[in-house]
């Protein structure tokens, strides 16, 4: 008897791999790494979730981290 398995990958905004592995059919994939996107001079980023709902393994899939963007406000006093 052959047990089906699928390759599941979790990637960050820049394409770097956060987690990946092979999961047996109908098992729930997970990633323990917390995605991070570095702040810029203008914005901070907070992890919102994955680009699609995580479901039981039924095929090869890639989940991509999604972020909320917050404008950094600077106060200049003269």
């Amino acid at each position: 008897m052959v047990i089906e398995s699928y390759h599941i990958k979790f990637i960050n905004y820049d394409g770097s791999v956060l987690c990946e592995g092979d999961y047996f059919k109908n098992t729930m994939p997970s990633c323990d790494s917390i995605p991070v996107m570095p702040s810029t001079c203008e914005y901070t980023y907070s992890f919102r979730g994955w680009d699609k709902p995580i479901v039981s393994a039924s095929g090869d899939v890639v989940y991509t981290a999604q972020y909320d963007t917050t404008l950094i406000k600077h106060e200049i006093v003269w």
Side-chain angles (χ1 to χ4, degrees):
M1 177 178 179
V2 176
I3 299 175
E4 293 179 63
S5 68
Y6 302 102
H7 194 74
I8 310 287
K9 192 182 290 188
F10 293 84
I11 61 172
N12 209 353
Y13 71 97
D14 60 357
S16 61
V17 177
L18 297 167
C19 304
E20 72 178 311
D22 294 317
Y23 290 83
F24 293 118
K25 183 177 182 175
N26 296 323
T27 60
M28 187 63 76
S30 64
C31 182
D32 292 333
S33 295
I34 299 172
V36 175
M37 185 172 183
S39 299
T40 65
C41 293
E42 295 180 83
Y43 300 101
T44 60
Y45 304 94
S46 55
F47 177 64
R48 174 180 10 149
W50 302 104
D51 62 332
K52 56 183 117 346
I54 297 173
V55 297
S56 296
S58 61
D60 295 342
V61 67
V62 175
Y63 295 100
T64 304
Q66 302 294 298
Y67 294 87
D68 287 324
T69 304
T70 303
L71 179 65
I72 298 173
K73 295 181 181 182
H74 300 277
E75 183 177 336
I76 300 173
V77 178
W78 299 97

